[in-house]
Amino acid sequence: SQKIEQNSEALNIQEGKTATLTCNYTNYSPAYLQWYRQDPGRGPVFLLLIRENEKEKRKERLKVTFDTTLKQSLFHITASQPADSATYLCALDSSSGNTGKLIFGQGTTLQVKP
Amino acid sequence: DAGVTQSPTHLIKTRGQQVTLRCSPKSGHDTVSWYQQALGQGPQFIFQYYEEEERQRGNFPDRFSGHQFPNYSSELNVNALLLGDSALYLCASSLSIGSGYTFGSGTRLTVV
């Protein structure tokens, strides 16, 4: 069956360092992958979408890579700040197409210490 | 620019009761999806509505039903509530499939 895995353990890093979060998937050939940020008690906020034919995408201090051979996406936050502390979710379309039915990972909590 | 609006924000219901949650999508968005999020887990897809029809459905029982109105707003109904239905219910809207979704802040449902 389809499965998405994110590091369940919280990631603790020092302010100014680069945070790297991992999203692995099995039994998928997704057309795209999305990353969201979620703060406690709030809904997820869309950050980036990367398509299967894109290797890398950047937005300000954020960078996402998508390796369809390894079935893995890496999410990087450079020059991290305490305000970046949150849970980060990756999501894939449930099929190889474009149904809009997103399957989410369980999320990785990032804690940036000043 | 108003994003996705959900109501109510919190709700406490008794086991066996029925509940209706409401969602107004972001202006210009025509597709609405509903998700259930248990504590410490990622959101789970319930169903998606487009042009007032259910287009996609996740692995949820028929106790979960929905509706989309001509103005694109949507309702999620849950019948015969179980304790396990306690969760954060999220509504998300998008302009098109394959683009990022805008989520509301959710409705926290507690079943006692």
Side-chain angles (χ1 to χ4, degrees):
Chain A
S1 62
Q2 301 159 329
K3 196 173 181 181
I4 301 174
E5 286 188 346
Q6 296 184 252
N7 287 347
S8 57
E9 291 184 10
L11 180 62
N12 295 296
I13 65 168
Q14 207 67 33
E15 182 176 9
K17 299 294 186 184
T18 296
T20 299
L21 285 69
T22 304
C23 176
N24 295 299
Y25 58 93
T26 59
N27 300 325
Y28 275 108
S29 295
Y32 58 84
L33 184 149
Q34 302 184 19
W35 283 89
Y36 289 80
R37 167 186 173 141
Q38 187 173 26
D39 293 285
R42 310 285 294 180
V45 174
F46 172 72
L47 297 175
L48 281 167
L49 181 151
I50 186 166
R51 301 191 186 280
E52 60 179 337
N53 59 348
E54 298 174 313
K55 295 294 184 185
E56 180 180 299
K57 203 154 191 180
R58 293 174 184 261
K59 179 184 176 182
E60 298 172 354
R61 293 184 296 111
L62 308 180
K63 184 178 86 171
V64 172
T65 63
F66 193 12
D67 189 326
T68 55
T69 301
L70 290 179
K71 295 188 181 295
Q72 181 182 79
S73 175
L74 298 179
F75 177 81
H76 307 272
I77 305 175
T78 59
S80 59
Q81 305 166 0
D84 295 327
S85 299
T87 295
Y88 291 86
L89 299 158
C90 70
L92 302 171
D93 195 284
S94 64
S95 75
S96 302
N98 202 8
T99 67
K101 178 181 173 182
L102 290 183
I103 307 298
F104 281 84
Q106 75 271 33
T108 297
T109 299
L110 172 66
Q111 186 72 36
V112 182
K113 297 180 180 178
Chain B
D1 176 26
V4 175
T5 304
Q6 291 188 244
S7 64
T9 55
H10 295 83
L11 203 52
I12 299 176
K13 288 287 190 177
T14 302
R15 191 171 44 183
Q17 285 189 315
Q18 177 264 345
V19 68
T20 297
L21 311 181
R22 296 178 175 81
C23 171
S24 292
K26 184 176 179 178
S27 177
H29 286 185
D30 58 6
T31 302
V32 173
S33 301
W34 286 92
Y35 289 82
Q36 180 195 68
Q37 187 174 26
L39 208 59
Q41 300 297 316
Q44 279 199 297
F45 179 83
I46 302 176
F47 41 55
Q48 181 185 81
Y49 278 86
Y50 174 71
E51 292 188 344
E52 302 179 53
E53 290 193 0
E54 184 183 291
R55 184 163 59 180
Q56 293 283 336
R57 189 175 182 92
N59 295 325
F60 280 80
D62 292 343
R63 298 187 296 110
F64 289 77
S65 63
H67 190 78
Q68 185 179 35
F69 299 93
N71 67 352
Y72 307 128
S73 68
S74 178
E75 289 182 349
L76 164 65
N77 300 292
V78 187
N79 295 320
L81 285 167
L82 303 174
L83 297 178
D85 294 331
S86 296
L88 181 67
Y89 287 86
L90 296 162
C91 173
S93 71
S94 66
L95 182 57
S96 63
I97 294 176
S99 61
Y101 284 79
T102 301
F103 280 81
S105 291
T107 295
R108 172 68 64 185
L109 173 65
T110 302
V111 182
V112 297

mmCIF file of all heavy atoms in Angstrom, chain B residues 21-67:
data_model
loop_
_atom_site.group_PDB
_atom_site.id
_atom_site.type_symbol
_atom_site.label_atom_id
_atom_site.label_comp_id
_atom_site.label_asym_id
_atom_site.label_seq_id
_atom_site.Cartn_x
_atom_site.Cartn_y
_atom_site.Cartn_z
ATOM 1 N N LEU B 21 -20.273 20.656 10.318
ATOM 2 C CA LEU B 21 -19.191 21.633 10.293
ATOM 3 C C LEU B 21 -19.266 22.395 8.980
ATOM 4 O O LEU B 21 -19.618 21.823 7.946
ATOM 5 C CB LEU B 21 -17.832 20.927 10.417
ATOM 6 C CG LEU B 21 -17.695 19.906 11.554
ATOM 7 C CD1 LEU B 21 -16.282 19.317 11.564
ATOM 8 C CD2 LEU B 21 -18.038 20.529 12.884
ATOM 9 N N ARG B 22 -18.881 23.669 9.031
ATOM 10 C CA ARG B 22 -19.038 24.527 7.864
ATOM 11 C C ARG B 22 -17.722 25.129 7.415
ATOM 12 O O ARG B 22 -16.825 25.379 8.225
ATOM 13 C CB ARG B 22 -20.062 25.622 8.149
ATOM 14 C CG ARG B 22 -21.460 25.051 8.392
ATOM 15 C CD ARG B 22 -22.490 26.105 8.730
ATOM 16 N NE ARG B 22 -23.826 25.517 8.823
ATOM 17 C CZ ARG B 22 -24.288 24.876 9.886
ATOM 18 N NH1 ARG B 22 -23.540 24.746 10.967
ATOM 19 N NH2 ARG B 22 -25.515 24.355 9.884
ATOM 20 N N CYS B 23 -17.661 25.402 6.118
ATOM 21 C CA CYS B 23 -16.429 25.922 5.519
ATOM 22 C C CYS B 23 -16.759 26.883 4.396
ATOM 23 O O CYS B 23 -17.568 26.576 3.505
ATOM 24 C CB CYS B 23 -15.594 24.760 4.989
ATOM 25 S SG CYS B 23 -14.165 25.257 3.995
ATOM 26 N N SER B 24 -16.118 28.046 4.419
ATOM 27 C CA SER B 24 -16.181 28.980 3.292
ATOM 28 C C SER B 24 -14.803 29.024 2.660
ATOM 29 O O SER B 24 -13.826 29.372 3.327
ATOM 30 C CB SER B 24 -16.581 30.374 3.767
ATOM 31 O OG SER B 24 -17.899 30.386 4.222
ATOM 32 N N PRO B 25 -14.680 28.672 1.382
ATOM 33 C CA PRO B 25 -13.356 28.631 0.758
ATOM 34 C C PRO B 25 -12.797 30.027 0.511
ATOM 35 O O PRO B 25 -13.516 31.034 0.597
ATOM 36 C CB PRO B 25 -13.618 27.913 -0.566
ATOM 37 C CG PRO B 25 -15.043 28.237 -0.882
ATOM 38 C CD PRO B 25 -15.744 28.299 0.451
ATOM 39 N N LYS B 26 -11.527 30.055 0.192
ATOM 40 C CA LYS B 26 -10.889 31.306 -0.189
ATOM 41 C C LYS B 26 -11.555 31.846 -1.445
ATOM 42 O O LYS B 26 -11.962 31.076 -2.328
ATOM 43 C CB LYS B 26 -9.400 31.060 -0.444
ATOM 44 C CG LYS B 26 -8.608 32.315 -0.766
ATOM 45 C CD LYS B 26 -7.134 32.007 -0.913
ATOM 46 C CE LYS B 26 -6.369 33.263 -1.268
ATOM 47 N NZ LYS B 26 -4.904 33.015 -1.374
ATOM 48 N N SER B 27 -11.661 33.173 -1.513
ATOM 49 C CA SER B 27 -12.303 33.805 -2.650
ATOM 50 C C SER B 27 -11.661 33.355 -3.956
ATOM 51 O O SER B 27 -10.425 33.380 -4.105
ATOM 52 C CB SER B 27 -12.179 35.333 -2.511
ATOM 53 O OG SER B 27 -12.735 35.976 -3.624
ATOM 54 N N GLY B 28 -12.507 32.902 -4.888
ATOM 55 C CA GLY B 28 -12.013 32.459 -6.185
ATOM 56 C C GLY B 28 -11.727 30.969 -6.275
ATOM 57 O O GLY B 28 -11.527 30.439 -7.376
ATOM 58 N N HIS B 29 -11.693 30.296 -5.129
ATOM 59 C CA HIS B 29 -11.431 28.858 -5.133
ATOM 60 C C HIS B 29 -12.738 28.092 -5.290
ATOM 61 O O HIS B 29 -13.730 28.416 -4.639
ATOM 62 C CB HIS B 29 -10.745 28.435 -3.831
ATOM 63 C CG HIS B 29 -9.323 28.835 -3.746
ATOM 64 N ND1 HIS B 29 -8.513 28.462 -2.693
ATOM 65 C CD2 HIS B 29 -8.545 29.582 -4.574
ATOM 66 C CE1 HIS B 29 -7.288 28.952 -2.884
ATOM 67 N NE2 HIS B 29 -7.296 29.642 -4.013
ATOM 68 N N ASP B 30 -12.708 27.045 -6.128
ATOM 69 C CA ASP B 30 -13.941 26.308 -6.402
ATOM 70 C C ASP B 30 -13.908 24.865 -5.912
ATOM 71 O O ASP B 30 -14.902 24.160 -5.977
ATOM 72 C CB ASP B 30 -14.247 26.326 -7.903
ATOM 73 C CG ASP B 30 -13.105 25.739 -8.743
ATOM 74 O OD1 ASP B 30 -12.139 25.213 -8.159
ATOM 75 O OD2 ASP B 30 -13.194 25.826 -9.987
ATOM 76 N N THR B 31 -12.765 24.415 -5.422
ATOM 77 C CA THR B 31 -12.612 23.031 -4.970
ATOM 78 C C THR B 31 -12.394 23.024 -3.468
ATOM 79 O O THR B 31 -11.534 23.757 -2.958
ATOM 80 C CB THR B 31 -11.425 22.367 -5.675
ATOM 81 O OG1 THR B 31 -11.624 22.408 -7.096
ATOM 82 C CG2 THR B 31 -11.272 20.917 -5.235
ATOM 83 N N VAL B 32 -13.172 22.201 -2.776
ATOM 84 C CA VAL B 32 -13.080 22.128 -1.318
ATOM 85 C C VAL B 32 -12.816 20.684 -0.899
ATOM 86 O O VAL B 32 -13.481 19.764 -1.378
ATOM 87 C CB VAL B 32 -14.381 22.623 -0.653
ATOM 88 C CG1 VAL B 32 -14.332 22.379 0.855
ATOM 89 C CG2 VAL B 32 -14.582 24.104 -0.924
ATOM 90 N N SER B 33 -11.831 20.515 -0.026
ATOM 91 C CA SER B 33 -11.511 19.187 0.517
ATOM 92 C C SER B 33 -11.616 19.242 2.032
ATOM 93 O O SER B 33 -11.347 20.277 2.649
ATOM 94 C CB SER B 33 -10.089 18.772 0.124
ATOM 95 O OG SER B 33 -9.930 18.727 -1.272
ATOM 96 N N TRP B 34 -11.962 18.105 2.618
ATOM 97 C CA TRP B 34 -12.052 17.985 4.071
ATOM 98 C C TRP B 34 -11.047 16.948 4.551
ATOM 99 O O TRP B 34 -10.865 15.885 3.916
ATOM 100 C CB TRP B 34 -13.454 17.560 4.490
ATOM 101 C CG TRP B 34 -14.483 18.643 4.382
ATOM 102 C CD1 TRP B 34 -15.288 18.911 3.307
ATOM 103 C CD2 TRP B 34 -14.832 19.591 5.389
ATOM 104 N NE1 TRP B 34 -16.116 19.985 3.594
ATOM 105 C CE2 TRP B 34 -15.860 20.408 4.864
ATOM 106 C CE3 TRP B 34 -14.399 19.835 6.697
ATOM 107 C CZ2 TRP B 34 -16.437 21.449 5.599
ATOM 108 C CZ3 TRP B 34 -14.980 20.858 7.415
ATOM 109 C CH2 TRP B 34 -15.985 21.657 6.870
ATOM 110 N N TYR B 35 -10.413 17.261 5.678
ATOM 111 C CA TYR B 35 -9.432 16.371 6.271
ATOM 112 C C TYR B 35 -9.730 16.207 7.755
ATOM 113 O O TYR B 35 -10.229 17.128 8.404
ATOM 114 C CB TYR B 35 -8.014 16.923 6.114
ATOM 115 C CG TYR B 35 -7.487 16.876 4.704
ATOM 116 C CD1 TYR B 35 -7.823 17.861 3.781
ATOM 117 C CD2 TYR B 35 -6.660 15.837 4.278
ATOM 118 C CE1 TYR B 35 -7.350 17.809 2.479
ATOM 119 C CE2 TYR B 35 -6.176 15.785 2.982
ATOM 120 C CZ TYR B 35 -6.536 16.777 2.094
ATOM 121 O OH TYR B 35 -6.054 16.717 0.799
ATOM 122 N N GLN B 36 -9.349 15.041 8.278
ATOM 123 C CA GLN B 36 -9.408 14.790 9.718
ATOM 124 C C GLN B 36 -7.984 14.640 10.226
ATOM 125 O O GLN B 36 -7.179 13.904 9.632
ATOM 126 C CB GLN B 36 -10.176 13.480 9.993
ATOM 127 C CG GLN B 36 -10.292 13.125 11.476
ATOM 128 C CD GLN B 36 -10.725 11.692 11.688
ATOM 129 O OE1 GLN B 36 -9.985 10.762 11.385
ATOM 130 N NE2 GLN B 36 -11.924 11.503 12.210
ATOM 131 N N GLN B 37 -7.664 15.344 11.305
ATOM 132 C CA GLN B 37 -6.316 15.258 11.857
ATOM 133 C C GLN B 37 -6.371 14.887 13.328
ATOM 134 O O GLN B 37 -6.824 15.675 14.164
ATOM 135 C CB GLN B 37 -5.552 16.569 11.666
ATOM 136 C CG GLN B 37 -4.090 16.469 12.076
ATOM 137 C CD GLN B 37 -3.294 17.719 11.766
ATOM 138 O OE1 GLN B 37 -3.827 18.821 11.689
ATOM 139 N NE2 GLN B 37 -1.991 17.562 11.561
ATOM 140 N N ALA B 38 -5.885 13.693 13.632
ATOM 141 C CA ALA B 38 -5.758 13.273 15.029
ATOM 142 C C ALA B 38 -4.478 13.873 15.597
ATOM 143 O O ALA B 38 -3.555 14.236 14.855
ATOM 144 C CB ALA B 38 -5.722 11.750 15.108
ATOM 145 N N LEU B 39 -4.416 13.966 16.891
ATOM 146 C CA LEU B 39 -3.274 14.575 17.562
ATOM 147 C C LEU B 39 -1.988 13.847 17.198
ATOM 148 O O LEU B 39 -1.900 12.624 17.277
ATOM 149 C CB LEU B 39 -3.510 14.530 19.077
ATOM 150 C CG LEU B 39 -2.846 15.608 19.907
ATOM 151 C CD1 LEU B 39 -3.317 16.993 19.456
ATOM 152 C CD2 LEU B 39 -3.141 15.415 21.389
ATOM 153 N N GLY B 40 -0.992 14.599 16.760
ATOM 154 C CA GLY B 40 0.313 14.019 16.454
ATOM 155 C C GLY B 40 0.396 13.311 15.113
ATOM 156 O O GLY B 40 1.426 12.706 14.795
ATOM 157 N N GLN B 41 -0.666 13.395 14.334
ATOM 158 C CA GLN B 41 -0.702 12.740 13.024
ATOM 159 C C GLN B 41 -0.877 13.773 11.915
ATOM 160 O O GLN B 41 -1.268 14.909 12.164
ATOM 161 C CB GLN B 41 -1.858 11.740 12.969
ATOM 162 C CG GLN B 41 -1.780 10.641 14.002
ATOM 163 C CD GLN B 41 -0.568 9.763 13.817
ATOM 164 O OE1 GLN B 41 -0.229 9.361 12.695
ATOM 165 N NE2 GLN B 41 0.119 9.470 14.904
ATOM 166 N N GLY B 42 -0.597 13.333 10.688
ATOM 167 C CA GLY B 42 -0.873 14.202 9.555
ATOM 168 C C GLY B 42 -2.348 14.171 9.209
ATOM 169 O O GLY B 42 -3.068 13.251 9.606
ATOM 170 N N PRO B 43 -2.823 15.146 8.473
ATOM 171 C CA PRO B 43 -4.230 15.157 8.065
ATOM 172 C C PRO B 43 -4.567 13.952 7.200
ATOM 173 O O PRO B 43 -3.748 13.525 6.382
ATOM 174 C CB PRO B 43 -4.359 16.453 7.261
ATOM 175 C CG PRO B 43 -3.242 17.316 7.743
ATOM 176 C CD PRO B 43 -2.116 16.375 8.052
ATOM 177 N N GLN B 44 -5.784 13.413 7.385
ATOM 178 C CA GLN B 44 -6.264 12.300 6.557
ATOM 179 C C GLN B 44 -7.421 12.792 5.700
ATOM 180 O O GLN B 44 -8.377 13.387 6.206
ATOM 181 C CB GLN B 44 -6.740 11.154 7.441
ATOM 182 C CG GLN B 44 -5.617 10.269 7.958
ATOM 183 C CD GLN B 44 -6.145 8.935 8.427
ATOM 184 O OE1 GLN B 44 -6.929 8.877 9.367
ATOM 185 N NE2 GLN B 44 -5.756 7.871 7.772
ATOM 186 N N PHE B 45 -7.341 12.472 4.407
ATOM 187 C CA PHE B 45 -8.319 12.940 3.435
ATOM 188 C C PHE B 45 -9.672 12.271 3.660
ATOM 189 O O PHE B 45 -9.760 11.040 3.742
ATOM 190 C CB PHE B 45 -7.796 12.602 2.034
ATOM 191 C CG PHE B 45 -8.706 12.988 0.911
ATOM 192 C CD1 PHE B 45 -8.713 14.287 0.405
ATOM 193 C CD2 PHE B 45 -9.542 12.054 0.335
ATOM 194 C CE1 PHE B 45 -9.536 14.634 -0.653
ATOM 195 C CE2 PHE B 45 -10.366 12.391 -0.727
ATOM 196 C CZ PHE B 45 -10.367 13.679 -1.213
ATOM 197 N N ILE B 46 -10.729 13.100 3.750
ATOM 198 C CA ILE B 46 -12.081 12.560 3.908
ATOM 199 C C ILE B 46 -12.767 12.542 2.540
ATOM 200 O O ILE B 46 -13.161 11.490 2.048
ATOM 201 C CB ILE B 46 -12.900 13.393 4.913
ATOM 202 C CG1 ILE B 46 -12.207 13.434 6.266
ATOM 203 C CG2 ILE B 46 -14.308 12.795 5.040
ATOM 204 C CD1 ILE B 46 -12.904 14.328 7.290
ATOM 205 N N PHE B 47 -12.949 13.726 1.940
ATOM 206 C CA PHE B 47 -13.509 13.816 0.588
ATOM 207 C C PHE B 47 -13.268 15.203 0.008
ATOM 208 O O PHE B 47 -12.835 16.119 0.702
ATOM 209 C CB PHE B 47 -14.998 13.461 0.511
ATOM 210 C CG PHE B 47 -15.867 13.977 1.623
ATOM 211 C CD1 PHE B 47 -15.918 15.316 1.955
ATOM 212 C CD2 PHE B 47 -16.672 13.103 2.335
ATOM 213 C CE1 PHE B 47 -16.728 15.781 2.967
ATOM 214 C CE2 PHE B 47 -17.493 13.554 3.351
ATOM 215 C CZ PHE B 47 -17.516 14.895 3.675
ATOM 216 N N GLN B 48 -13.551 15.287 -1.295
ATOM 217 C CA GLN B 48 -13.346 16.520 -2.033
ATOM 218 C C GLN B 48 -14.596 16.846 -2.850
ATOM 219 O O GLN B 48 -15.196 15.949 -3.451
ATOM 220 C CB GLN B 48 -12.145 16.381 -2.969
ATOM 221 C CG GLN B 48 -11.818 17.627 -3.776
ATOM 222 C CD GLN B 48 -10.697 17.344 -4.766
ATOM 223 O OE1 GLN B 48 -10.913 16.798 -5.832
ATOM 224 N NE2 GLN B 48 -9.491 17.714 -4.376
ATOM 225 N N TYR B 49 -14.930 18.134 -2.895
ATOM 226 C CA TYR B 49 -16.101 18.572 -3.652
ATOM 227 C C TYR B 49 -15.707 19.568 -4.729
ATOM 228 O O TYR B 49 -14.855 20.449 -4.506
ATOM 229 C CB TYR B 49 -17.141 19.213 -2.722
ATOM 230 C CG TYR B 49 -17.991 18.181 -2.042
ATOM 231 C CD1 TYR B 49 -17.578 17.582 -0.858
ATOM 232 C CD2 TYR B 49 -19.202 17.772 -2.606
ATOM 233 C CE1 TYR B 49 -18.343 16.611 -0.252
ATOM 234 C CE2 TYR B 49 -19.974 16.803 -1.998
ATOM 235 C CZ TYR B 49 -19.538 16.226 -0.823
ATOM 236 O OH TYR B 49 -20.304 15.259 -0.226
ATOM 237 N N TYR B 50 -16.326 19.401 -5.858
ATOM 238 C CA TYR B 50 -16.127 20.303 -6.986
ATOM 239 C C TYR B 50 -17.430 20.365 -7.761
ATOM 240 O O TYR B 50 -18.039 19.323 -8.026
ATOM 241 C CB TYR B 50 -14.984 19.799 -7.881
ATOM 242 C CG TYR B 50 -14.789 20.585 -9.145
ATOM 243 C CD1 TYR B 50 -14.278 21.875 -9.113
ATOM 244 C CD2 TYR B 50 -15.115 20.042 -10.389
ATOM 245 C CE1 TYR B 50 -14.094 22.603 -10.277
ATOM 246 C CE2 TYR B 50 -14.940 20.759 -11.548
ATOM 247 C CZ TYR B 50 -14.421 22.034 -11.501
ATOM 248 O OH TYR B 50 -14.241 22.764 -12.647
ATOM 249 N N GLU B 51 -17.863 21.561 -8.092
ATOM 250 C CA GLU B 51 -19.129 21.756 -8.810
ATOM 251 C C GLU B 51 -20.272 21.011 -8.120
ATOM 252 O O GLU B 51 -21.075 20.327 -8.762
ATOM 253 C CB GLU B 51 -18.989 21.316 -10.271
ATOM 254 C CG GLU B 51 -18.068 22.228 -11.065
ATOM 255 C CD GLU B 51 -18.061 21.926 -12.558
ATOM 256 O OE1 GLU B 51 -18.528 20.838 -12.956
ATOM 257 O OE2 GLU B 51 -17.576 22.793 -13.313
ATOM 258 N N GLU B 52 -20.292 21.125 -6.812
ATOM 259 C CA GLU B 52 -21.363 20.594 -5.957
ATOM 260 C C GLU B 52 -21.443 19.071 -5.935
ATOM 261 O O GLU B 52 -22.436 18.511 -5.454
ATOM 262 C CB GLU B 52 -22.720 21.177 -6.360
ATOM 263 C CG GLU B 52 -22.769 22.700 -6.294
ATOM 264 C CD GLU B 52 -24.108 23.260 -6.724
ATOM 265 O OE1 GLU B 52 -25.144 22.821 -6.184
ATOM 266 O OE2 GLU B 52 -24.125 24.150 -7.610
ATOM 267 N N GLU B 53 -20.398 18.415 -6.423
ATOM 268 C CA GLU B 53 -20.401 16.952 -6.408
ATOM 269 C C GLU B 53 -19.172 16.415 -5.685
ATOM 270 O O GLU B 53 -18.090 17.014 -5.759
ATOM 271 C CB GLU B 53 -20.442 16.406 -7.832
ATOM 272 C CG GLU B 53 -21.778 16.649 -8.523
ATOM 273 C CD GLU B 53 -21.919 15.834 -9.785
ATOM 274 O OE1 GLU B 53 -20.994 15.085 -10.135
ATOM 275 O OE2 GLU B 53 -22.981 15.951 -10.433
ATOM 276 N N GLU B 54 -19.341 15.288 -5.030
ATOM 277 C CA GLU B 54 -18.217 14.621 -4.390
ATOM 278 C C GLU B 54 -17.373 13.978 -5.478
ATOM 279 O O GLU B 54 -17.833 13.081 -6.197
ATOM 280 C CB GLU B 54 -18.714 13.563 -3.400
ATOM 281 C CG GLU B 54 -17.588 12.891 -2.627
ATOM 282 C CD GLU B 54 -18.098 11.803 -1.715
ATOM 283 O OE1 GLU B 54 -18.769 12.116 -0.714
ATOM 284 O OE2 GLU B 54 -17.839 10.621 -2.004
ATOM 285 N N ARG B 55 -16.131 14.426 -5.573
ATOM 286 C CA ARG B 55 -15.277 13.962 -6.677
ATOM 287 C C ARG B 55 -14.321 12.863 -6.230
ATOM 288 O O ARG B 55 -14.006 11.969 -7.001
ATOM 289 C CB ARG B 55 -14.510 15.135 -7.256
ATOM 290 C CG ARG B 55 -13.669 14.785 -8.460
ATOM 291 C CD ARG B 55 -13.255 15.998 -9.228
ATOM 292 N NE ARG B 55 -12.491 16.945 -8.427
ATOM 293 C CZ ARG B 55 -12.013 18.089 -8.887
ATOM 294 N NH1 ARG B 55 -12.213 18.428 -10.150
ATOM 295 N NH2 ARG B 55 -11.356 18.907 -8.095
ATOM 296 N N GLN B 56 -13.824 12.973 -4.998
ATOM 297 C CA GLN B 56 -12.895 11.983 -4.458
ATOM 298 C C GLN B 56 -13.327 11.674 -3.037
ATOM 299 O O GLN B 56 -13.869 12.541 -2.340
ATOM 300 C CB GLN B 56 -11.455 12.521 -4.414
ATOM 301 C CG GLN B 56 -10.822 12.760 -5.754
ATOM 302 C CD GLN B 56 -10.367 11.481 -6.411
ATOM 303 O OE1 GLN B 56 -10.110 10.488 -5.735
ATOM 304 N NE2 GLN B 56 -10.275 11.477 -7.723
ATOM 305 N N ARG B 57 -13.050 10.462 -2.575
ATOM 306 C CA ARG B 57 -13.398 10.079 -1.213
ATOM 307 C C ARG B 57 -12.279 9.238 -0.619
ATOM 308 O O ARG B 57 -11.700 8.397 -1.318
ATOM 309 C CB ARG B 57 -14.703 9.290 -1.175
ATOM 310 C CG ARG B 57 -15.212 9.068 0.249
ATOM 311 C CD ARG B 57 -16.569 8.386 0.263
ATOM 312 N NE ARG B 57 -17.033 8.231 1.643
ATOM 313 C CZ ARG B 57 -17.788 9.115 2.281
ATOM 314 N NH1 ARG B 57 -18.195 10.206 1.661
ATOM 315 N NH2 ARG B 57 -18.152 8.924 3.542
ATOM 316 N N GLY B 58 -11.974 9.471 0.626
ATOM 317 C CA GLY B 58 -10.983 8.684 1.344
ATOM 318 C C GLY B 58 -11.636 7.500 2.038
ATOM 319 O O GLY B 58 -12.809 7.197 1.831
ATOM 320 N N ASN B 59 -10.885 6.846 2.898
ATOM 321 C CA ASN B 59 -11.370 5.642 3.578
ATOM 322 C C ASN B 59 -12.134 5.993 4.851
ATOM 323 O O ASN B 59 -11.704 5.694 5.962
ATOM 324 C CB ASN B 59 -10.198 4.715 3.906
ATOM 325 C CG ASN B 59 -9.541 4.176 2.655
ATOM 326 O OD1 ASN B 59 -10.214 3.911 1.657
ATOM 327 N ND2 ASN B 59 -8.228 4.045 2.693
ATOM 328 N N PHE B 60 -13.237 6.633 4.675
ATOM 329 C CA PHE B 60 -14.095 6.992 5.799
ATOM 330 C C PHE B 60 -15.477 6.388 5.578
ATOM 331 O O PHE B 60 -15.940 6.285 4.455
ATOM 332 C CB PHE B 60 -14.202 8.521 5.931
ATOM 333 C CG PHE B 60 -13.025 9.139 6.624
ATOM 334 C CD1 PHE B 60 -11.843 9.376 5.933
ATOM 335 C CD2 PHE B 60 -13.078 9.454 7.969
ATOM 336 C CE1 PHE B 60 -10.736 9.920 6.568
ATOM 337 C CE2 PHE B 60 -11.981 10.004 8.620
ATOM 338 C CZ PHE B 60 -10.815 10.237 7.919
ATOM 339 N N PRO B 61 -16.131 5.975 6.677
ATOM 340 C CA PRO B 61 -17.449 5.334 6.551
ATOM 341 C C PRO B 61 -18.507 6.318 6.065
ATOM 342 O O PRO B 61 -18.308 7.539 6.064
ATOM 343 C CB PRO B 61 -17.733 4.854 7.983
ATOM 344 C CG PRO B 61 -16.906 5.730 8.856
ATOM 345 C CD PRO B 61 -15.672 6.062 8.083
ATOM 346 N N ASP B 62 -19.650 5.734 5.716
ATOM 347 C CA ASP B 62 -20.752 6.548 5.190
ATOM 348 C C ASP B 62 -21.332 7.505 6.231
ATOM 349 O O ASP B 62 -22.127 8.392 5.872
ATOM 350 C CB ASP B 62 -21.868 5.632 4.682
ATOM 351 C CG ASP B 62 -21.431 4.851 3.449
ATOM 352 O OD1 ASP B 62 -20.419 5.266 2.834
ATOM 353 O OD2 ASP B 62 -22.087 3.858 3.109
ATOM 354 N N ARG B 63 -20.942 7.330 7.480
ATOM 355 C CA ARG B 63 -21.387 8.285 8.513
ATOM 356 C C ARG B 63 -20.882 9.696 8.203
ATOM 357 O O ARG B 63 -21.431 10.675 8.696
ATOM 358 C CB ARG B 63 -20.859 7.880 9.896
ATOM 359 C CG ARG B 63 -21.333 6.546 10.399
ATOM 360 C CD ARG B 63 -20.885 6.333 11.843
ATOM 361 N NE ARG B 63 -19.438 6.275 12.003
ATOM 362 C CZ ARG B 63 -18.716 7.233 12.598
ATOM 363 N NH1 ARG B 63 -19.318 8.311 13.084
ATOM 364 N NH2 ARG B 63 -17.413 7.089 12.729
ATOM 365 N N PHE B 64 -19.835 9.747 7.421
ATOM 366 C CA PHE B 64 -19.271 11.036 7.008
ATOM 367 C C PHE B 64 -19.849 11.407 5.636
ATOM 368 O O PHE B 64 -19.702 10.658 4.661
ATOM 369 C CB PHE B 64 -17.744 10.949 6.898
ATOM 370 C CG PHE B 64 -17.047 10.825 8.222
ATOM 371 C CD1 PHE B 64 -17.015 9.617 8.903
ATOM 372 C CD2 PHE B 64 -16.406 11.926 8.791
ATOM 373 C CE1 PHE B 64 -16.377 9.502 10.124
ATOM 374 C CE2 PHE B 64 -15.752 11.818 10.010
ATOM 375 C CZ PHE B 64 -15.738 10.605 10.673
ATOM 376 N N SER B 65 -20.524 12.515 5.586
ATOM 377 C CA SER B 65 -21.091 12.975 4.324
ATOM 378 C C SER B 65 -20.870 14.478 4.200
ATOM 379 O O SER B 65 -20.543 15.151 5.172
ATOM 380 C CB SER B 65 -22.590 12.654 4.251
ATOM 381 O OG SER B 65 -23.283 13.350 5.271
ATOM 382 N N GLY B 66 -21.060 14.955 2.995
ATOM 383 C CA GLY B 66 -20.810 16.374 2.796
ATOM 384 C C GLY B 66 -21.701 16.980 1.745
ATOM 385 O O GLY B 66 -22.544 16.296 1.131
ATOM 386 N N HIS B 67 -21.492 18.252 1.563
ATOM 387 C CA HIS B 67 -22.278 18.982 0.575
ATOM 388 C C HIS B 67 -21.502 20.216 0.162
ATOM 389 O O HIS B 67 -20.776 20.800 0.981
ATOM 390 C CB HIS B 67 -23.621 19.394 1.194
ATOM 391 C CG HIS B 67 -24.585 19.941 0.204
ATOM 392 N ND1 HIS B 67 -25.319 19.160 -0.651
ATOM 393 C CD2 HIS B 67 -24.929 21.236 -0.075
ATOM 394 C CE1 HIS B 67 -26.076 19.937 -1.413
ATOM 395 N NE2 HIS B 67 -25.861 21.197 -1.081
#
